[in-house]
Amino acid sequence: SAVPTARLEVPRQARPRMLLAPLLGLLPCPPTRWDALGELTPAAPRDFLAVVTAPPSLSPTAEREWLERNREWLMDELGEHGALHFKGFRLPATSAGLRDFCSALPLVPCADPLASVGVRSLLSAPDGVYEAVNAESLSKTFIGLHNDVTYKLAAPFAAFACFQPAELGGGDFLLADGRAVLATLPAGVLATLRERLLSVRVASIPFGWLADLPLPPSLLAALRGAALRVVGAILSAKVPLDLAVAFSADERTLQILEQPKAPVNRHPASGAPTFFSSLHSQSAHLQRRRAGGGAAGGGGPGGGGA
């Protein structure tokens, strides 16, 4: 389970969010800060995961007090490395405990940018805890609080906890250092991605049935246009993320797409460039692999899924 979060202490614009949260519930994640222009020299490789082991024999209440006493050091370590692995802590064993754990640092929960799409279920509304990938149908899919729709909104931090071990194997949790990914990309590939931009396919709707109807091309075109307008209107009303709709090249799939965005961005605090894309799950290559090598469907702006 996961909590998308924003820090409470600084910057100052976060403070009104802290005061309003008890009254309004989960507030939207902050707008993404984009800084993707100019030269992007990858930072030197580093150990981006720091391990924090719980002091022995502490109660959950004492663990929270320990977190509060050491919050500045912990947040400094997070800024230095990029990720913290808390081991042996008993406090984040429930939704309320995970929320309490985050509040001690202090972090405030914000709404999943994809909450209105229903990709991740809200496990505990009062605590802002979402449940990620808890279905057999998603066993081959990597889904978490990642870089989806980050062209619009982005959680500055995210906290993850496992409340129940996987019963049938799996349950692996993967982390990737965007700085290291950027450093491994060939210069030519990165230049191409920056020039073309990326438009990730969030969802697709089969429309082969329409293409197979024995209708005049002009009528088929009119029906496709009507479908685009209807789906676009529904998305505009339900999902405030400026998603786009377009038919695939073979006109057999209606695609719901993110707006084109740069594949890289700079960290808003450190200024370090990082690979900033959600190609981990929605790319055509991975879709074909999950389907056992079959076709992944038609392409669209930016390609079939990316």
Side-chain angles (χ1 to χ4, degrees):
S1 300
V3 179
T5 59
R7 194 172 182 187
L8 292 185
E9 293 183 324
V10 285
R12 291 182 179 178
Q13 56 264 35
R15 295 174 185 172
R17 298 170 57 85
M18 175 180 63
L19 298 175
L20 292 174
L23 301 176
L24 302 180
L26 293 180
L27 299 178
C29 284
T32 302
R33 297 182 186 179
W34 279 101
D35 184 7
L37 302 177
E39 190 67 27
L40 294 172
T41 303
R46 67 177 73 185
D47 182 4
F48 84 105
L49 181 64
V51 176
V52 180
T53 303
S57 304
L58 290 186
S59 67
T61 299
E63 286 181 357
R64 192 188 199 288
E65 294 172 352
W66 183 89
L67 291 169
E68 291 176 338
R69 289 196 304 271
N70 292 278
R71 63 173 58 162
E72 290 300 325
W73 168 70
L74 291 169
M75 295 306 294
D76 288 343
E77 284 289 287
L78 180 59
E80 172 67 21
H81 295 277
L84 299 179
H85 182 193
F86 291 93
K87 302 180 66 174
F89 286 83
R90 293 188 290 167
L91 178 59
T94 63
S95 296
L98 180 58
R99 168 68 181 271
D100 208 24
F101 189 96
C102 294
S103 299
L105 290 177
L107 302 170
V108 61
C110 57
D112 180 2
L114 290 180
S116 55
V117 188
V119 175
R120 290 172 285 272
S121 59
L122 186 57
L123 185 64
S124 175
D127 302 310
V129 178
Y130 291 83
E131 188 174 46
V133 192
N134 190 22
E136 181 64 26
S137 59
L138 296 174
S139 62
K140 297 182 179 180
T141 302
F142 295 113
I143 299 180
L145 292 172
H146 44 61
N147 286 343
D148 266 347
V149 297
T150 44
Y151 65 91
K152 184 76 173 178
L153 304 172
F157 305 94
F160 300 86
C162 179
F163 296 154
Q164 179 179 347
E167 297 178 355
L168 301 176
D172 301 299
F173 190 87
L174 305 180
L175 286 176
D177 186 351
R179 299 164 297 185
V181 173
L182 180 62
T184 61
L185 284 176
V189 173
L190 179 59
T192 299
L193 291 175
R194 295 186 69 185
E195 179 181 354
R196 292 180 56 187
L197 302 182
L198 301 172
S199 185
V200 172
R201 184 172 61 199
V202 177
S204 60
I205 304 173
F207 261 79
W209 58 270
L210 178 60
D212 294 336
L213 293 177
L215 299 176
S218 58
L219 181 55
L220 287 173
L223 292 174
R224 283 192 292 269
L228 290 175
R229 289 190 292 273
V230 170
V231 174
I234 294 173
L235 287 174
S236 298
K238 298 288 187 179
V239 187
L241 296 173
D242 297 335
L243 296 174
V245 291
F247 272 93
S248 58
D250 61 6
E251 299 180 335
R252 301 183 67 85
T253 304
L254 190 153
Q255 303 178 116
I256 300 175
L257 305 161
E258 293 183 1
Q259 294 291 336
K261 61 182 179 181
V264 291
N265 199 2
R266 287 184 176 86
H267 190 280
S270 69
T274 181
F275 191 70
F276 198 67
S277 173
S278 49
L279 288 179
H280 70 289
S281 181
Q282 295 96 332
S283 69
H285 169 75
L286 292 178
Q287 289 179 12
R288 284 193 296 268
R289 193 173 72 174
R290 286 197 297 270

